[in-house]
Amino acid sequence: MKKDCLSLKDLSKDEILSLIDKSIEIKKKIENREDYKPLKDVILGMIFEKSSTRTRLSFETGMKRLGGDAVFLSSRDIQLGRGETIEDSARVISSYVDIIMIRTFEHSRLMKFAQYSAVPVVNALTDLLHPCQVLADLVTIKEHFGKLDNLKIAFIGDGNNMANSWIYAASVLGLNLSVATPIDLSPSGIVIKEAVEIAESTNANIELTQIPYDAAVNADVIYTDVWASMGEEEQTARKHALLKHYQINENLTKDAKRDYIFMHCLPAHRGEEVTADIIDGEHSVVIEEAKNRTFAQLSVIMKLLGRD
Ligand code: CP
Ligand code: NVA
């Protein structure tokens, strides 16, 4: 049966750890310009129903670097955007390509697409989850600190797809995660419930708080994301009002660990969720984090296609 990568909760701790190690190995090979083409003859279909810079470029360039190819499919151009059913789109598109990544709105659209696709499907962001981003973030943390455990990771801001993905990752890997959001912008209740169940066997420590300082104090990693995600434009004013005390700035980070790193999946809005001095400052690793998307996704594609 074909495998998909739709959520980190579907993977075991060992599988995620080996994807991280594989990403670092692929990064070395690509950076050393080694002749390494494990994806020769593989074509990736890339379906975007929302905008993207990093996801598109990292998937497309990554495929080409490892000997494969990629086809960009914007919903503005394909019939899916004009009402062709997900079932037909998935069956037809998967008859042309070897693997598909899709960025869409409701998570149920992704699930349905994967159900009808004949080839593996990778979640490239839904309203609920963004697993490829968190995998790249884990690679970045492992490279920086040499480990993932015994670190306090703080997610501060909107309880959105990034917060949900971090909660799943922490639960599976047994990490120490503190999530600070306003009560009205809490992460998904289903995600929290499932993560708590998973955490029972992994000893993950997942704290949910409404106090940004509680998350930031002693943190090794401070993570934030935009206050209004794609598709939520009409909620911008409400969310900004709720989140105004959740900005990552000098005051909030003053009691973090001295060598803490600042992370953000990007795109960022300076002066909203983070100040320019933090995101452009010495603690920020956001550019390396974006770069690591390529290697994390290639490790997933190789695993799904059995080329690892
Ligand atoms: N972080 C991320 O997924 O960026 P894009 O929206 O540019 O793909
Ligand atoms: N939460 C953001 C992430 C963008 C990469 C969004 O969904 O728009």
Side-chain angles (χ1 to χ4, degrees):
M1 207 177 100
K2 79 171 171 91
K3 289 190 202 141
D4 302 308
C5 180
L6 309 181
S7 165
L8 294 179
K9 85 160 158 57
D10 300 334
L11 297 170
S12 68
K13 176 175 178 170
D14 283 349
E15 283 175 317
I16 297 180
L17 293 178
S18 92
L19 285 172
I20 294 168
D21 289 343
K22 187 77 185 177
S23 308
I24 294 171
E25 189 188 312
I26 294 169
K27 181 175 186 174
K28 281 199 195 104
K29 288 182 190 294
I30 289 180
E31 291 192 338
N32 292 336
R33 302 264 159 193
E34 284 181 32
D35 184 20
Y36 179 59
K37 306 286 179 225
L39 295 179
K40 187 171 175 295
D41 301 328
V42 176
I43 299 179
L44 168 75
M46 304 192 303
I47 302 172
F48 283 92
E49 299 197 287
K50 293 174 176 171
S51 304
S52 169
T53 297
R54 280 144 289 271
T55 304
R56 176 178 177 181
L57 273 158
S58 54
F59 269 107
E60 192 165 337
T61 58
M63 287 302 296
K64 291 184 183 188
R65 287 193 195 281
L66 294 200
D69 210 340
V71 184
F72 174 66
L73 303 162
S74 161
S75 61
R76 275 190 290 273
D77 303 322
I78 60 175
Q79 301 288 7
L80 182 64
R82 293 184 57 248
E84 184 167 12
T85 66
I86 296 178
E87 292 90 325
D88 285 350
S89 300
R91 287 193 194 104
V92 170
I93 295 169
S94 66
S95 75
Y96 298 117
V97 298
D98 305 295
I99 183 162
I100 294 170
M101 58 118 285
I102 176 164
R103 166 168 286 195
T104 188
F105 291 88
E106 299 86 9
H107 196 71
S108 55
R109 276 177 80 75
L110 167 80
M111 301 294 283
K112 194 173 209 181
F113 192 97
Q115 185 188 341
Y116 287 91
S117 168
V119 301
V121 173
V122 179
N123 178 357
L125 183 147
T126 65
D127 292 347
L128 186 73
L129 296 173
H130 195 3
C132 290
Q133 179 67 52
V134 170
L135 199 56
D137 300 338
L138 292 164
V139 170
T140 311
I141 294 171
K142 175 90 189 279
E143 282 185 323
H144 188 88
F145 291 105
K147 61 178 184 179
L148 297 171
D149 45 7
N150 293 318
L151 296 172
K152 179 180 179 187
I153 300 168
F155 184 97
I156 300 170
D158 184 21
N160 61 13
N161 44 10
M162 288 309 311
N164 293 332
S165 305
W166 264 109
I167 290 170
Y168 275 148
S171 68
V172 175
L173 293 173
L175 305 181
N176 178 13
L177 175 72
S178 181
V179 181
T181 69
I183 190 87
D184 288 347
L185 299 177
S186 295
S188 153
I190 293 167
V191 170
I192 294 169
K193 185 172 170 291
E194 288 180 339
V196 167
E197 283 164 18
I198 298 168
E200 276 172 22
S201 58
T202 62
N203 287 324
N205 178 22
I206 302 173
E207 175 193 41
L208 301 175
T209 175
Q210 290 152 49
I211 304 168
Y213 180 82
D214 288 354
V217 65
N218 287 323
D220 298 279
V221 176
I222 296 188
Y223 202 111
T224 194
D225 185 16
V226 290
W227 284 350
S229 287
M230 291 181 277
E232 298 182 336
E233 288 74 16
E234 80 292 349
Q235 293 188 52
T236 302
R238 174 181 158 262
K239 287 200 154 191
H240 280 220
L242 287 167
L243 285 158
K244 64 179 183 226
H245 300 303
Y246 289 74
Q247 184 188 64
I248 312 300
N249 53 35
E250 205 182 320
N251 187 42
L252 186 60
T253 55
K254 70 180 188 322
D255 290 329
K257 291 268 175 60
R258 259 184 22 184
D259 63 347
Y260 88 92
I261 57 173
F262 171 76
M263 303 186 79
H264 190 310
C265 57
L266 305 179
H269 295 91
R270 287 166 177 76
E272 294 179 14
E273 74 272 10
V274 60
T275 53
D277 60 330
I278 297 289
I279 194 169
D280 299 322
E282 56 176 342
H283 295 277
S284 177
V285 297
V286 297
I287 303 302
E288 199 64 20
E289 184 186 352
K291 179 177 172 178
N292 283 335
R293 291 288 304 278
T294 300
F295 318 116
Q297 289 151 193
L298 287 171
S299 74
V300 169
I301 290 169
M302 285 172 63
K303 179 179 164 63
L304 292 175
L305 296 177
R307 301 216 175 190
D308 45 345

